[in-house]
């Protein structure tokens, strides 16, 4: 039973399109995150959500918007895709608020986005 | 602003060797530090989490140490196996902040 699952695993699309990546966790965690891993393998946080409340947004363009229908889901929607958006996007979750507690991060397998 | 570096960027060792991976961070006022493993095309798997009050954590053949004052952590892998081949990342969290990741060390254990 996968703890943090993301779909799709691969996504190839044209510049200018709008796309979404879905994430679900069955761990009962309170906080979910989206990370971006670029071609140089640097992993940087994009968003974290706690109980449907966005608590951190790290200088991400407003073309990116997280949507959380409930505590177990955090979807990433991207408008007007650009070439530079090509990367692997990882969803993660942790038990408590993102900035407190002994928060062990649990990651999904990643979604590789390629913008042509 | 916290910055995390990892040395070496890549490491290749013969099977059975003991090895050490290094992680350095610039802001020593950390809350905790976590080591991850990433296999090619896969997500990250948590290996060890060290709280700021701890000096080390052990899990099987892995031992992670933390020296806050010098801004360093090491991941020691004993009796390495080909299955240990992966990229190892450390991530540091300061109070009130999210984890900041290092660039990783790519480990190859040769049979």
């Amino acid at each position: 039973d996968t703890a943090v699952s993301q779909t799709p695993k691969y996504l190839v699309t044209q510049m200018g399109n709008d796309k979404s990546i879905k994430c679900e966790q069955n761990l009962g965690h309170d906080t979910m995150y989206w990370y971006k891993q670029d071609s140089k393998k640097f992993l940087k946080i994009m968003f974290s959500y706690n109980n449907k409340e966005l608590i951190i947004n790290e200088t991400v363009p407003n073309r990116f918007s997280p949507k959380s229908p409930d505590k177990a889901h955090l979807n990433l929607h991207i408008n007007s895709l650009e070439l530079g958006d090509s990367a692997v996007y990882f969803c993660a979750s942790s038990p408590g608020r993102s900035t407190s507690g002994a928060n062990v991060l649990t990651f999904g397998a990643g979604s590789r986005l390629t913008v042509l | 602003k916290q910055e995390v570096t990892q040395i070496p960027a890549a490491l290749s060792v013969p099977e059975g060797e003991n090895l050490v991976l290094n992680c350095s961070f610039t802001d020593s006022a950390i809350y905790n530090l976590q080591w991850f493993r990433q296999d090619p095309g896969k997500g990250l798997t948590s290996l060890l989490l060290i709280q700021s009050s701890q000096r080390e954590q052990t899990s099987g053949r892995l031992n992670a140490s933390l020296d806050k004052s010098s801004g360093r952590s090491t991941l020691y892998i004993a009796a390495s196996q080909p299955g240990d081949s992966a990229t190892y990342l450390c991530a540091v969290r300061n109070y009130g902040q999210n984890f900041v990741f290092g660039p990783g060390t790519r480990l190859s254990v040769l049979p």
Side-chain angles (χ1 to χ4, degrees):
Chain A
D1 216 12
T2 304
V4 180
S5 59
Q6 306 179 218
T7 54
K9 188 169 184 178
Y10 300 97
L11 182 56
V12 181
T13 189
Q14 300 285 335
M15 262 192 344
N17 285 348
D18 302 338
K19 290 294 178 185
S20 292
I21 305 173
K22 295 184 177 181
C23 180
E24 176 182 4
Q25 54 97 2
N26 62 6
L27 299 167
H29 286 173
D30 287 332
T31 305
M32 296 183 70
Y33 311 78
W34 278 104
Y35 283 83
K36 178 180 180 180
Q37 188 172 43
D38 61 24
S39 57
K40 295 183 178 179
K41 304 300 183 185
F42 283 100
L43 200 65
K44 293 186 178 178
I45 189 165
M46 300 176 70
F47 303 102
S48 63
Y49 245 78
N50 177 275
N51 290 330
K52 297 191 179 183
E53 181 183 1
L54 177 67
I55 54 177
I56 285 186
N57 180 337
E58 295 278 337
T59 62
V60 172
N62 59 14
R63 296 181 298 103
F64 290 79
S65 55
K67 299 186 190 304
S68 180
D70 55 56
K71 196 172 87 164
H73 296 83
L74 183 65
N75 303 324
L76 182 65
H77 189 75
I78 315 170
N79 290 326
S80 304
L81 279 158
E82 300 177 356
L83 293 176
D85 297 333
S86 295
V88 181
Y89 293 85
F90 286 98
C91 178
S93 69
S94 67
R97 294 188 69 88
S98 70
T99 54
S100 66
N103 276 325
V104 176
L105 289 173
T106 302
F107 279 82
S111 297
R112 181 177 293 278
L113 171 65
T114 303
V115 182
L116 303 176
Chain B
K1 181 184 173 186
Q2 179 70 272
E3 292 183 5
V4 182
T5 55
Q6 292 185 243
I7 294 173
L11 179 63
S12 189
V13 301
E15 182 177 4
E17 276 206 2
N18 302 326
L19 60 99
V20 175
L21 307 180
N22 298 292
C23 173
S24 299
F25 45 93
T26 54
D27 184 349
S28 61
I30 67 169
Y31 194 86
N32 54 38
L33 181 148
Q34 194 167 356
W35 280 94
F36 293 87
R37 162 189 178 136
Q38 185 176 24
D39 293 282
K42 300 284 180 66
L44 280 72
T45 301
S46 178
L47 298 173
L48 291 163
L49 175 75
I50 309 179
Q51 299 298 331
S52 62
S53 58
Q54 298 174 322
R55 297 299 296 269
E56 65 178 341
Q57 283 285 341
T58 299
S59 175
R61 293 182 294 108
L62 305 179
N63 176 277
S65 68
L66 174 63
D67 184 345
K68 268 186 21 175
S69 60
S70 65
R72 293 184 182 183
S73 174
T74 61
L75 180 66
Y76 174 82
I77 303 177
S80 58
Q81 303 171 358
D84 295 331
S85 298
T87 297
Y88 290 80
L89 298 104
C90 77
V92 174
R93 188 160 73 81
N94 289 74
Y95 293 93
Q97 303 293 321
N98 272 303
F99 279 102
V100 175
F101 281 79
T105 294
R106 192 172 65 255
L107 173 65
S108 297
V109 180
L110 307 174

